[in-house]
PDB file of all heavy atoms in Angstrom:
ATOM      1  N   LEU A  27      69.021  51.065   3.885  1.00  0.00           N
ATOM      2  CA  LEU A  27      69.296  50.835   2.466  1.00  0.00           C
ATOM      3  C   LEU A  27      68.488  51.812   1.606  1.00  0.00           C
ATOM      4  O   LEU A  27      68.993  52.365   0.626  1.00  0.00           O
ATOM      5  CB  LEU A  27      68.932  49.405   2.090  1.00  0.00           C
ATOM      6  CG  LEU A  27      69.859  48.302   2.610  1.00  0.00           C
ATOM      7  CD1 LEU A  27      69.267  46.936   2.297  1.00  0.00           C
ATOM      8  CD2 LEU A  27      71.232  48.436   1.982  1.00  0.00           C
ATOM      9  N   SER A  50      67.329  39.505   1.124  1.00  0.00           N
ATOM     10  CA  SER A  50      67.368  40.127  -0.203  1.00  0.00           C
ATOM     11  C   SER A  50      66.030  40.735  -0.603  1.00  0.00           C
ATOM     12  O   SER A  50      65.980  41.775  -1.255  1.00  0.00           O
ATOM     13  CB  SER A  50      67.791  39.094  -1.254  1.00  0.00           C
ATOM     14  OG  SER A  50      69.092  38.619  -1.006  1.00  0.00           O
ATOM     15  N   ALA A 126      48.300  44.318 -19.228  1.00  0.00           N
ATOM     16  CA  ALA A 126      48.351  43.758 -20.584  1.00  0.00           C
ATOM     17  C   ALA A 126      49.316  42.580 -20.734  1.00  0.00           C
ATOM     18  O   ALA A 126      49.004  41.605 -21.427  1.00  0.00           O
ATOM     19  CB  ALA A 126      48.690  44.862 -21.587  1.00  0.00           C
ATOM     20  N   TRP A 141      26.451  50.954 -18.334  1.00  0.00           N
ATOM     21  CA  TRP A 141      26.423  49.698 -17.577  1.00  0.00           C
ATOM     22  C   TRP A 141      26.073  49.962 -16.112  1.00  0.00           C
ATOM     23  O   TRP A 141      25.292  49.213 -15.502  1.00  0.00           O
ATOM     24  CB  TRP A 141      27.780  49.006 -17.682  1.00  0.00           C
ATOM     25  CG  TRP A 141      27.876  47.708 -16.945  1.00  0.00           C
ATOM     26  CD1 TRP A 141      27.597  46.453 -17.415  1.00  0.00           C
ATOM     27  CD2 TRP A 141      28.283  47.516 -15.574  1.00  0.00           C
ATOM     28  NE1 TRP A 141      27.806  45.513 -16.444  1.00  0.00           N
ATOM     29  CE2 TRP A 141      28.228  46.128 -15.304  1.00  0.00           C
ATOM     30  CE3 TRP A 141      28.698  48.384 -14.562  1.00  0.00           C
ATOM     31  CZ2 TRP A 141      28.564  45.603 -14.061  1.00  0.00           C
ATOM     32  CZ3 TRP A 141      29.036  47.850 -13.318  1.00  0.00           C
ATOM     33  CH2 TRP A 141      28.972  46.476 -13.077  1.00  0.00           C
ATOM     34  N   LYS A 155      27.409  62.159 -10.696  1.00  0.00           N
ATOM     35  CA  LYS A 155      26.642  63.062 -11.565  1.00  0.00           C
ATOM     36  C   LYS A 155      27.020  64.532 -11.386  1.00  0.00           C
ATOM     37  O   LYS A 155      26.718  65.354 -12.256  1.00  0.00           O
ATOM     38  CB  LYS A 155      25.142  62.879 -11.325  1.00  0.00           C
ATOM     39  CG  LYS A 155      24.653  63.371  -9.953  1.00  0.00           C
ATOM     40  CD  LYS A 155      23.172  63.126  -9.776  1.00  0.00           C
ATOM     41  CE  LYS A 155      22.685  63.656  -8.427  1.00  0.00           C
ATOM     42  NZ  LYS A 155      21.230  63.415  -8.245  1.00  0.00           N
ATOM     43  N   MET A 240      32.202  66.329  -7.079  1.00  0.00           N
ATOM     44  CA  MET A 240      32.300  67.747  -7.398  1.00  0.00           C
ATOM     45  C   MET A 240      30.975  68.472  -7.142  1.00  0.00           C
ATOM     46  O   MET A 240      29.900  67.884  -7.233  1.00  0.00           O
ATOM     47  CB  MET A 240      32.690  67.917  -8.869  1.00  0.00           C
ATOM     48  CG  MET A 240      34.060  67.352  -9.212  1.00  0.00           C
ATOM     49  SD  MET A 240      35.398  68.300  -8.478  1.00  0.00           S
ATOM     50  CE  MET A 240      35.381  69.734  -9.541  1.00  0.00           C
ATOM     51  N   GLY A 269      32.165  58.379   0.026  1.00  0.00           N
ATOM     52  CA  GLY A 269      32.833  57.086  -0.110  1.00  0.00           C
ATOM     53  C   GLY A 269      31.913  55.924   0.169  1.00  0.00           C
ATOM     54  O   GLY A 269      31.888  54.929  -0.574  1.00  0.00           O
ATOM     55  N   ALA A 280      29.644  42.936  -5.382  1.00  0.00           N
ATOM     56  CA  ALA A 280      30.693  41.973  -5.040  1.00  0.00           C
ATOM     57  C   ALA A 280      30.118  40.624  -4.613  1.00  0.00           C
ATOM     58  O   ALA A 280      30.687  39.568  -4.911  1.00  0.00           O
ATOM     59  CB  ALA A 280      31.580  42.529  -3.931  1.00  0.00           C
ATOM     60  N   GLY A 296      38.999  61.241   7.440  1.00  0.00           N
ATOM     61  CA  GLY A 296      40.149  61.814   8.133  1.00  0.00           C
ATOM     62  C   GLY A 296      40.122  61.551   9.621  1.00  0.00           C
ATOM     63  O   GLY A 296      41.149  61.704  10.300  1.00  0.00           O
ATOM     64  N   ALA A 297      38.971  61.119  10.135  1.00  0.00           N
ATOM     65  CA  ALA A 297      38.869  60.809  11.563  1.00  0.00           C
ATOM     66  C   ALA A 297      39.807  59.672  11.954  1.00  0.00           C
ATOM     67  O   ALA A 297      40.240  59.580  13.105  1.00  0.00           O
ATOM     68  CB  ALA A 297      37.429  60.456  11.927  1.00  0.00           C
ATOM     69  N   THR A 311      35.768  44.495  10.926  1.00  0.00           N
ATOM     70  CA  THR A 311      35.515  43.204  10.289  1.00  0.00           C
ATOM     71  C   THR A 311      34.437  42.428  11.045  1.00  0.00           C
ATOM     72  O   THR A 311      34.226  42.631  12.247  1.00  0.00           O
ATOM     73  CB  THR A 311      36.807  42.358  10.240  1.00  0.00           C
ATOM     74  OG1 THR A 311      36.534  41.111   9.601  1.00  0.00           O
ATOM     75  CG2 THR A 311      37.356  42.094  11.632  1.00  0.00           C
ATOM     76  N   LEU A 316      39.467  36.223   9.447  1.00  0.00           N
ATOM     77  CA  LEU A 316      40.024  37.044   8.375  1.00  0.00           C
ATOM     78  C   LEU A 316      40.978  38.088   8.942  1.00  0.00           C
ATOM     79  O   LEU A 316      42.049  38.348   8.371  1.00  0.00           O
ATOM     80  CB  LEU A 316      38.897  37.721   7.590  1.00  0.00           C
ATOM     81  CG  LEU A 316      39.304  38.535   6.363  1.00  0.00           C
ATOM     82  CD1 LEU A 316      40.064  37.675   5.366  1.00  0.00           C
ATOM     83  CD2 LEU A 316      38.071  39.152   5.704  1.00  0.00           C
ATOM     84  N   PRO A 329      57.794  47.872   5.694  1.00  0.00           N
ATOM     85  CA  PRO A 329      58.196  47.701   7.082  1.00  0.00           C
ATOM     86  C   PRO A 329      57.087  47.053   7.879  1.00  0.00           C
ATOM     87  O   PRO A 329      55.937  47.133   7.484  1.00  0.00           O
ATOM     88  CB  PRO A 329      58.444  49.143   7.554  1.00  0.00           C
ATOM     89  CG  PRO A 329      57.519  49.951   6.712  1.00  0.00           C
ATOM     90  CD  PRO A 329      57.449  49.276   5.368  1.00  0.00           C
TER      91      PRO A 329
END
Side-chain angles (χ1 to χ4, degrees):
L27 288 173
S50 297
W141 180 90
K155 69 181 182 180
M240 297 291 285
T311 181
L316 185 58

